[in-house]
Amino acid sequence: MQNSPDPALPLLEVRGISKSFGAVRALQEVDFTLRAGEIHALLGENGAGKSTLIKVVTGVFPRDAGIVRIGGEEVAPRSAKAALAAGIATVYQEVNLLPNLSVAQNLFLDRQPMRFGIVREGEMRRRAKALLAEFGLDIDVAAPLSSYSVAVQHVTAIARAVDLSARVLILDEPTASLDRHEVEILFGIMRQLAKRGIGIVFVSHFLDQVYEISDRITVLRNGRLVGERETASLPRLELIRLMLGRELAETTSARASVGEHKVREICASFENYGKAGYVAPFNLELRHGEVVGLAGLLGSGRTETARLVFGAERADGGKARVEGAPVRLQSPRDGVRHGFGYCPEERKTDGIVAELTVRENIVLALQAKRGLHRPLSRREQDELARRYVKMLDIRPPDPERPVGLLSGGNQQKVLLARWLATSPRLLVLDEPTRGIDVGAHAEIIRLIRELCDDGLSLLVISSELDEIVTYSDRVVVLRDRAHIEELAGEAIDVGNILAAIAADSVAVALEAHT
Amino acid sequence: MRGLPPALITAIVLVAGFAACAVQFPNIASTRVVGNLLTDNAFLGIVAAGMTFVIISGGIDLSVGSVIGFTTVFVALAIERWGMPPLVAFVVVIALSAAFGAAMGAVIHVFDLPPFIVTLAGMFLARGASFLLSTESIPITAPIYSNVSDFALRLPGGGRLTAIAIIMLAIVIGGALLLHLTRFGANVYALGGSRTTASLMGVAVGKMTVKIYMLSGLLAGIAGIVFSFYTSAGYSLSAVGVELDTIAAVVIGGTLLTGGQGSVIGTFLGVLIQGLIQTYINFDGTQSSWWTKIATGILLFAFIALQQGLVALARRPLAKSAGAAT
């Protein structure tokens, strides 16, 4: 039915796609081009807009602007089903199949071979077996999908997509839960499919794998297209620079704003602190009035470190001290008791309570700390809310407005205020500037510096290297779930951080797999 | 097939229970008792078959007891007061209850409401409607009722397989075929696995939801007619609480209350287990009939615990790789 695609035309063309969620601009004028038979890596840090781009192209989210063409023809799918009909299939990391159905039913759901209104079970199994054989899989297709490994489930999902005559196959973090051997199998299948002329979009944060499999790389950052390059001509350092920061020359000057070093008292220290399979044991000292930045790629162990420090995750070894005294941090309650605060990355899901007002959100943590039998009076609450709304310049300055109606930057400030109200000694901020527009961005950074000048100790995670460089007194660089380097003073600049992240990561990755 | 292992356990419990009863009261092991068991529980078997589809699809239908009550009153009034030919009354009431179920399914899908709430509203609505029609018990004297009651297949050993028992068996077999052999059946399981995923895979989730609740309503209507045959009357207070007996039968039959797994045959066995307990208590004569409820309750607990165990076992091989994904 379909004409074979004109080789001169790209298979999938995305032009000028924009998408906002409320005040947050998730995608701005993004272009993306996929040629037939190529494996194209789509890269970017968390929140760069990869998932949003995929969801907009496949019609899961409606788009605000831009066009999508397949084989030169404009398409505007309104649902994943319509996208599939247009020839775009997506396989997510969380396999979107039905674990309770048999493998065969999963492959042929809603298009089973029928006779007289009855599913021809035998025929369906025979076809399922034949289809999976093409992908080098020989399994009992009558068994429920859940009885197989994630790798088999992935291959099943890909087989289904390809069998549904997909021309564009989007694989979103397909290798995240596969072991090395399974990854090889998957890559074999991907190469085979590419040979058949299918265009494959490969989303992954494993750079080694990207270099191994992809022909071309597109990098997004903060919802914008940063560049499209051929993999072969893009050195790793250059790629990481594209993903994490601006050109070196632009950022080196920004360091000046950090104040002179004084010897400061230790607020909390961690010795050989770690958890097997989570973060390798690390040593970390956090001092009063000091900002420590955590830098590294997605999945390098930044958030994991923060969660261990706060007590949201239990360490299985090492010592923690607060003001010199040994402490046990086994739950977030412990963290709060010792004067720690934690602003998580996912504001919407882990942080703010959108339905409650600014005032209610601000007093939450303090009330929890005091316990239910010592309620804050309404007067005290109003007082607190007024103080922090003024101090952090929360807008609009209305303590009785539901937080859900505020912009991302102001929500972040409310979250900050919540922890500041508990007068913490240590505050952990995970991606405090994520999804915040440029103006609010600078303000949050200014706030971070100010808080620290008041003697607070801050541990900040950010994917924006130039930002980390701006406010950090020390920077801990992470890679593959281990702390690999600590930079201080003059040594802190984007180039050094990038070099630390990129340094022999191949060797390390190989080690991790053996 | 899928769901057979739990249903097999139900079958073993049924056979063991039956054997134990037969040891104490040898008379239980007769076609007469078994025939009565099927007749007494015919309406329950029919409505439970429909409930099985609903629960496997991840829903629940609390309205079925009220729909049965409404049906008996409507049929009695239509035949006795409004002079409607019985067959016409049956067709009308089945159409009404199917439409009622379809409407609930549509509300669940369109407004994305929990089935529990929607069908709870349906339960009050249907019960209220039957009170509106009549608050008294209306005897049905139409000749078709005595004819149907008299009709029975003779079983060896003096048992009788009555018309309503035959209807129930036919619906159970038909339901099992529909669930296991058709695209509709596969989609019911798909919905129970995950509505979102099923929709992404191309299942018309909205249509399916409407059809599933329509089927449940339709079978509740048929169960109501069968119930009116059984009691030869229409009464707005009949079948109160039957939705809960039905859900119990479905769960004892090995269907996962969270959806995605189960079988009609298992449900049928679950109905028979409940009937067996009742029969045992009738034979014993000294126990209060409430012991049926207590025994059913204990069985329910046992089966839910068993299912949780099986589910945990099924998930185990995946736990390792799931941990690596964080």
Side-chain angles (χ1 to χ4, degrees):
Chain A
M1 232 174 76
Q2 284 160 339
N3 305 324
S4 58
D6 184 344
L9 282 173
L11 181 57
L12 172 71
E13 259 185 298
V14 174
R15 292 290 170 263
I17 290 274
S18 294
K19 172 75 190 168
S20 298
F21 298 100
V24 180
R25 304 183 71 178
L27 289 176
Q28 297 181 46
E29 309 259 318
V30 171
D31 295 344
F32 182 78
T33 310
L34 180 72
R35 295 150 188 83
E38 87 172 347
I39 298 173
H40 194 135
L42 179 61
L43 303 181
E45 282 289 88
N46 229 345
K50 294 168 297 184
S51 307
T52 312
L53 178 62
I54 291 172
K55 292 201 164 133
V56 166
V57 168
T58 54
V60 178
F61 294 154
R63 56 197 185 223
D64 298 343
I67 53 169
V68 176
R69 288 198 206 98
I70 292 189
E73 234 169 276
E74 200 170 326
V75 293
R78 294 257 183 87
S79 66
K81 199 178 170 182
L84 207 53
I88 311 176
T90 314
V91 176
Y92 293 98
Q93 179 187 347
E94 306 291 329
V95 181
N96 264 319
L97 292 177
L98 296 157
N100 61 321
L101 296 189
S102 71
V103 173
Q105 285 281 15
N106 266 296
L107 285 170
F108 290 101
L109 189 66
D110 215 40
R111 55 192 188 102
Q112 298 97 332
M114 305 286 282
R115 185 186 288 148
F116 311 125
I118 286 182
V119 174
R120 296 167 64 197
E121 187 79 24
E123 171 70 9
M124 182 172 79
R125 286 184 195 170
R126 201 185 55 70
R127 284 197 208 168
K129 222 160 165 60
L131 178 59
L132 289 181
E134 282 181 45
F135 293 88
L137 220 55
D138 181 25
I139 56 172
D140 175 15
V141 293
L145 186 75
S146 61
S147 59
Y148 292 107
S149 69
V150 180
V152 169
Q153 299 189 19
H154 265 295
V155 174
T156 308
I158 292 171
R160 177 183 161 91
V162 171
D163 198 48
L164 282 165
S165 73
R167 290 192 283 162
V168 175
L169 185 60
I170 302 173
L171 304 177
D172 190 357
E173 293 283 3
T175 58
S177 38
L178 305 189
D179 66 29
R180 184 64 218 166
H181 175 66
E182 292 167 334
V183 169
E184 302 273 292
I185 293 175
L186 180 69
F187 281 2
I189 289 170
M190 283 166 67
R191 289 195 186 98
Q192 194 190 331
L193 290 175
K195 242 180 231 148
R196 278 161 61 175
I198 291 174
I200 299 175
V201 179
F202 178 58
V203 180
S204 177
H205 65 268
F206 297 105
L207 296 190
D208 294 330
Q209 294 178 359
V210 167
Y211 275 98
E212 186 182 339
I213 188 83
S214 70
D215 305 309
R216 205 178 286 270
I217 295 175
T218 291
V219 179
L220 299 182
R221 197 174 69 231
N222 285 337
R224 292 172 186 275
L225 175 69
V226 188
E228 192 212 81
R229 308 282 176 82
E230 292 210 359
T231 310
S233 64
L234 179 63
R236 187 179 295 253
L237 186 64
E238 177 73 18
L239 171 62
I240 295 174
R241 186 177 301 153
L242 284 177
M243 288 168 67
L244 291 188
R246 274 175 243 147
E247 291 304 312
L248 275 179
E250 288 178 49
T251 52
T252 35
S253 56
R255 257 298 282 175
S257 62
V258 177
E260 278 305 300
H261 275 267
K262 290 172 265 178
V263 178
R264 297 173 172 123
E265 277 173 46
I266 293 177
C267 161
S269 67
F270 299 86
E271 203 180 309
N272 269 327
Y273 214 62
K275 180 177 179 177
Y278 196 64
V279 184
F282 58 86
N283 294 323
L284 185 63
E285 277 182 0
L286 303 164
R287 293 162 196 274
H288 286 289
E290 189 186 56
V291 179
V292 175
L294 292 180
L297 291 173
L298 180 66
S300 59
R302 298 170 307 184
T303 300
E304 288 79 358
T305 300
R307 290 176 59 85
L308 275 179
V309 165
F310 183 59
E313 199 76 39
R314 278 188 204 188
D316 59 6
K319 289 196 192 94
R321 289 169 192 277
V322 173
E323 311 289 354
V327 294
R328 283 150 62 87
L329 294 168
Q330 302 214 311
S331 68
R333 278 179 66 95
D334 288 346
V336 171
R337 208 155 40 97
H338 293 300
F340 295 177
Y342 179 42
C343 299
E345 181 179 0
E346 295 294 333
R347 270 199 306 278
K348 290 245 160 57
T349 53
D350 301 344
I352 61 157
V353 187
E355 293 78 12
L356 296 187
T357 65
V358 170
R359 170 180 55 84
E360 287 163 327
N361 267 284
I362 289 178
V363 300
L364 254 177
L366 181 57
Q367 184 62 69
K369 198 178 172 190
R370 285 166 58 120
L372 279 179
H373 52 281
R374 285 173 54 208
L376 284 161
S377 73
R378 179 60 193 255
R379 210 176 49 77
E380 286 172 292
Q381 292 187 18
D382 283 337
E383 167 62 30
L384 271 173
R386 239 197 329 273
R387 190 163 90 229
Y388 285 106
V389 165
K390 187 154 176 271
M391 174 177 155
L392 304 180
D393 194 18
I394 294 170
R395 286 180 203 196
D398 171 12
E400 298 308 315
R401 180 176 278 253
V403 164
L405 300 180
L406 269 55
S407 71
N410 283 298
Q411 289 182 1
Q412 188 65 48
K413 288 184 192 169
V414 171
L415 209 49
L416 260 175
R418 177 192 295 170
W419 289 111
L420 292 177
T422 66
S423 344
R425 55 165 60 93
L426 166 68
L427 201 50
V428 182
L429 306 176
D430 195 348
E431 297 283 4
T433 55
R434 159 83 26 89
I436 290 175
D437 58 70
V438 184
H441 206 271
E443 221 175 318
I444 296 274
I445 291 173
R446 180 184 54 80
L447 267 175
I448 289 175
R449 280 307 326 169
E450 276 179 17
L451 290 171
C452 159
D453 291 341
D454 293 343
L456 188 65
S457 172
L458 284 164
L459 183 64
V460 184
I461 296 172
S462 178
S463 298
E464 304 275 330
L465 287 189
D466 25 294
E467 184 186 304
I468 280 210
V469 165
T470 313
Y471 50 63
S472 300
D473 296 291
R474 279 183 292 136
V475 174
V476 175
V477 182
L478 293 97
R479 191 181 61 216
D480 298 320
R481 297 181 176 260
H483 294 210
I484 52 165
E485 197 155 343
E486 190 173 312
L487 305 169
E490 292 305 309
I492 300 180
D493 76 33
V494 174
N496 284 346
I497 297 176
L498 285 178
I501 294 174
D504 32 71
S505 53
V506 183
V508 174
L510 282 177
E511 233 169 76
H513 282 305
T514 47
Chain B
M1 265 197 72
R2 272 183 310 275
L4 199 63
L8 202 66
I9 292 165
T10 312
I12 293 166
V13 170
L14 178 62
V15 170
F18 193 78
C21 291
V23 168
Q24 199 177 350
F25 305 110
N27 284 341
I28 282 187
S30 69
T31 54
R32 198 185 294 264
V33 173
V34 173
N36 285 347
L37 192 77
L38 292 176
T39 305
D40 293 344
N41 293 290
F43 77 100
L44 191 61
I46 294 168
V47 74
M51 183 71 85
T52 308
F53 282 83
V54 175
I55 293 183
I56 291 176
S57 79
I60 193 108
D61 189 351
L62 298 178
S63 72
V64 290
S66 300
V67 170
I68 292 175
F70 174 82
T71 306
T72 63
V73 178
F74 185 91
V75 166
L77 281 177
I79 296 172
E80 298 298 320
R81 304 267 169 89
W82 308 334
M84 219 184 257
L87 286 177
V88 175
F90 295 160
V91 170
V92 170
V93 83
I94 288 175
L96 272 179
S97 50
F100 184 66
M104 286 192 300
V107 169
I108 290 167
H109 175 71
V110 173
F111 299 106
D112 196 21
L113 290 170
F116 189 96
I117 299 300
V118 174
T119 59
L120 185 68
M123 173 177 120
F124 288 126
L125 214 70
R127 188 65 71 184
S130 52
F131 280 123
L132 265 187
L133 288 179
S134 169
T135 50
E136 49 196 289
S137 178
I138 308 151
I140 307 173
T141 52
I144 187 173
Y145 271 73
S146 44
N147 291 344
V148 168
S149 298
D150 290 341
F151 176 84
L153 292 178
R154 296 274 157 204
L155 296 174
R160 299 168 76 245
L161 192 60
T162 58
I164 59 175
I166 293 170
I167 294 175
M168 187 258 280
L169 290 176
I171 284 175
V172 165
I173 292 168
L177 295 179
L178 180 66
L179 184 61
H180 293 297
L181 296 185
T182 66
R183 195 172 276 180
F184 176 81
N187 286 351
V188 169
Y189 283 104
L191 246 60
S194 158
R195 289 177 73 85
T196 324
T197 306
S199 146
L200 284 177
M201 290 174 76
V203 175
V205 171
K207 271 189 203 160
M208 277 302 296
T209 308
V210 171
K211 280 186 194 165
I212 289 166
Y213 284 90
M214 188 167 92
L215 179 68
S216 176
L218 182 138
L219 289 180
I222 295 177
I225 294 168
V226 164
F227 195 78
S228 74
F229 277 122
Y230 183 61
T231 58
S232 291
Y235 185 32
S236 50
L237 271 177
S238 51
V240 169
V242 159
E243 58 280 344
L244 302 180
D245 293 334
T246 309
I247 293 167
V250 171
V251 172
I252 291 177
T255 295
L256 216 53
L257 206 46
T258 46
Q261 268 171 39
S263 65
V264 175
I265 300 299
T267 297
F268 174 64
L269 299 175
V271 169
L272 290 188
I273 286 181
Q274 285 197 43
L276 181 69
I277 297 169
Q278 182 67 56
T279 307
Y280 173 83
I281 284 160
N282 290 346
F283 263 75
D284 188 61
T286 62
Q287 311 283 354
S288 148
S289 76
W290 288 104
W291 279 100
T292 315
K293 302 286 177 198
I294 292 172
T296 307
I298 293 169
L299 266 180
L300 260 181
F301 270 122
F303 271 84
I304 290 168
L306 178 83
Q307 286 176 354
Q308 286 306 316
L310 287 176
V311 168
L313 220 63
R315 283 201 183 135
R316 216 170 39 179
L318 283 175
K320 200 184 67 176
S321 41
T326 52

